[in-house]
Amino acid sequence: MRLLAGLGGLLIAAVAAGLLFGLVYSPHDGLLMAAYLVVCGGCVVAAVELLKRRRRHARSLARQLATGVGASVGLTMVGVGVIALFMFISPHDGLTMAVLLLLAGALGTYSVWALSQGPLDDLHAVRDGLRAVGDGRRDVAISTGARDELAELADAATRMVVQLAEREAERDAAEKGRRDLVAAVSHDLRTPLTSLRLLSEAIESDLVDAATRRDYLEQMSGHIRSLSALIEDLFELSRLEAGDIQWSMQQVSLDELVAETVEAMRAQADAKRVSVAATVPAGIDPARADPERLQRVLFNLIQNAIRHTPADGSVTVLAEPCGKGVELEVADTGEGLSEEDRGRAFDPFYRGGNGKARSPGGSGLGLAICRAIVEAHGGEIWFADSPTGTRVRFSLPNA
Ligand SMILES: Nc1ncnc2c1ncn2[C@@H]1O[C@H](COP(=O)(O)OP(=O)(O)OP(=O)(O)O)[C@@H](O)[C@H]1O
Ligand SMILES: [Mg+2]
């Protein structure tokens, strides 16, 4: 296509120059000029086309450009020489013309060579930058200091490196998360499974009396319950994180839901002599939520609060309108959380405190599940400041 356009342009130029010379001088001069332009121009176009086809074998861009210019100028010089012979110009004028043409050719070739150095340096900068990226470096900023197309190429390459580094960091974090999760799950499965194996071996050995056997069987069912709870929580969390959950979103009347949840937890609270109460203003706007899962959030938070509050302490659940939605809070008068625990308590399998403060029997999935549910509702969950005890607060959009 480009070749056809070149040849067309050449033909138009030859006809125009031929007409001009024909009108101004003589038809003979016009014909000669047109013939010269067609023959010489045709040779130049053919030479450039040949160089283009051989481009794949060339090693240097500067050499390609210099050869192209050299070929065009050289062929033009030959053409002019032939014309000079036809026109019977004097040897002096012919030599002058040849020297001038030689100079023009040399200057043209030099200009192309000199001007190509800047773009070539820029290309080398992009090449070296990309090689460094290929060798594993990610702190590479490729810049040419110009504003041309090569600068755009360098910018695009730098953006690509930044995005690559971000994706790799995300992938590494996800990979580490998966490894930690597998380690935590296997640890949490191994301990009760080992106990189950030892207890069942003891029962099978016939060395234990009936009372001890009953005790061992009770211990075994406790381990089985905690294992099932762990597997269920893990399954729930992985479905929440994968977005693989059917939500039944509806208008939820918060005073009813909170009262119901608090009543359901009362037995557990009484067993620890912890008082539990709800303060939700009657007629508070309903929230748009999945009631079962919202109740799950409250269960987890109230269970944590009861676990971490000593006897005679209290747990309070409240809900209040806030901005475009509603905020719910579970506050207790327990031991509270250290700064480190606050930062990590929502991570799966994180169990804060040590020794006495550690949740007995917990797997560290409760708050992670709460966060996943609240965020799926478009809300947020956080630890609110509190001089004593713990206040966990979360927001929900209005219905
Ligand atoms: N109300 C609270 N008071 C003090 N510490 C708390 C409270 N709630 C949570 N924590 C700390 O945060 C950690 C994580 O809580 P999370 O509910 O995720 O796990 P868990 O209660 O240990 O186990 P699970 O909920 O799976 O039974 C707890 O181990 C505990 O150290
Ligand atoms: Mg918990």
Side-chain angles (χ1 to χ4, degrees):
M1 200 62 204
R2 272 193 225 154
L3 175 64
L4 282 181
L7 289 175
L10 179 65
L11 216 60
I12 292 168
V15 171
L19 279 175
L20 183 71
F21 272 67
L23 287 175
V24 176
Y25 300 109
S26 66
H28 169 262
D29 280 2
L31 213 61
L32 204 64
M33 179 50 69
Y36 163 72
L37 282 182
V38 167
V39 173
C40 186
C43 288
V44 170
V45 170
V48 169
E49 203 51 37
L50 195 73
L51 284 171
K52 260 167 66 184
R53 293 208 174 167
R54 290 191 53 76
R55 200 184 133 236
R56 303 257 169 257
H57 306 286
R59 288 180 161 243
S60 148
L61 199 57
R63 203 181 301 164
Q64 280 180 61
L65 291 172
T67 315
V69 173
S72 311
V73 174
L75 286 168
T76 314
M77 279 168 63
V78 172
V80 172
V82 172
I83 291 266
L85 281 179
F86 272 112
M87 289 169 80
F88 305 110
I89 59 174
S90 70
H92 168 266
D93 289 354
L95 190 67
T96 311
M97 214 158 81
V99 169
L100 284 177
L101 273 171
L102 208 63
L103 194 68
L107 282 175
T109 311
Y110 163 76
S111 309
V112 168
W113 175 80
L115 286 173
S116 67
Q117 291 311 301
L120 279 176
D121 287 347
D122 292 351
L123 270 180
H124 291 161
V126 176
R127 178 199 64 193
D128 294 345
L130 290 178
R131 272 190 187 153
V133 174
D135 290 341
R137 276 185 54 196
R138 295 292 178 264
D139 56 342
V140 178
I142 305 170
S143 161
T144 63
R147 291 195 299 180
D148 56 9
E149 288 86 344
L150 286 170
E152 282 173 18
L153 178 71
D155 282 350
T158 304
R159 266 201 309 280
M160 186 196 74
V161 178
V162 171
Q163 283 168 359
L164 184 70
E166 283 171 2
R167 299 275 179 290
E168 283 181 350
E170 279 168 18
R171 191 199 56 202
D172 291 350
E175 188 57 40
K176 184 177 176 305
R178 254 193 301 279
R179 270 202 307 273
D180 290 352
L181 199 70
V182 170
V185 173
S186 30
H187 174 267
D188 278 32
L189 288 177
R190 201 178 319 126
T191 317
L193 281 175
T194 309
S195 305
L196 278 174
R197 184 169 53 79
L198 293 176
L199 290 166
S200 67
E201 278 171 8
I203 291 171
E204 273 168 9
S205 70
D206 283 342
L207 292 175
V208 288
D209 57 34
T212 316
R213 180 173 301 176
R214 252 196 318 280
D215 177 37
Y216 282 5
L217 282 171
E218 252 171 48
Q219 286 188 40
M220 284 174 78
S221 52
H223 285 309
I224 290 169
R225 268 198 304 278
S226 69
L227 272 178
S228 323
L230 167 66
I231 304 282
E232 255 168 48
D233 281 356
L234 201 55
F235 184 55
E236 174 85 353
L237 184 63
S238 68
R239 282 174 63 212
L240 280 164
E241 284 183 346
D244 178 21
I245 282 212
Q246 288 286 358
W247 296 93
S248 92
M249 301 299 275
Q250 47 192 271
Q251 294 212 3
V252 178
S253 140
L254 290 170
D255 41 356
E256 280 174 26
L257 186 106
V258 170
E260 202 180 292
T261 317
V262 165
E263 279 321 306
M265 298 299 284
R266 197 170 295 285
Q268 230 184 79
D270 287 348
K272 262 200 86 183
R273 284 201 289 124
V274 169
S275 70
V276 53
T279 38
V280 181
I284 186 171
D285 280 346
R288 186 172 159 67
D290 179 323
E292 227 172 87
R293 298 227 150 68
L294 180 55
Q295 199 159 39
R296 175 89 198 259
V297 174
L298 287 170
F299 270 133
N300 284 0
L301 297 181
I302 298 172
Q303 187 185 51
N304 279 354
I306 296 172
R307 268 185 189 164
H308 294 276
T309 303
D312 299 328
S314 64
V315 173
T316 317
V317 185
L318 63 86
E320 55 196 9
C322 192
K324 284 194 201 141
V326 59
E327 283 184 9
L328 288 97
E329 179 180 300
V330 177
D332 63 59
T333 56
E335 79 260 13
L337 277 101
S338 70
E339 208 45 52
E340 196 207 343
D341 288 351
R342 280 170 163 248
R344 299 185 56 197
F346 290 102
D347 293 349
F349 284 105
Y350 184 77
R351 270 164 295 186
N354 42 35
K356 211 157 74 43
R358 193 178 283 283
S359 287
S363 56
L365 291 173
L367 287 178
I369 291 174
C370 291
R371 181 173 63 181
I373 294 176
V374 169
E375 286 180 355
H377 280 80
E380 272 179 84
I381 185 164
W382 68 96
F383 289 108
D385 288 335
S386 162
T388 53
T390 307
R391 282 171 65 204
V392 189
R393 228 177 147 80
F394 63 96
S395 59
L396 288 176
N398 270 342

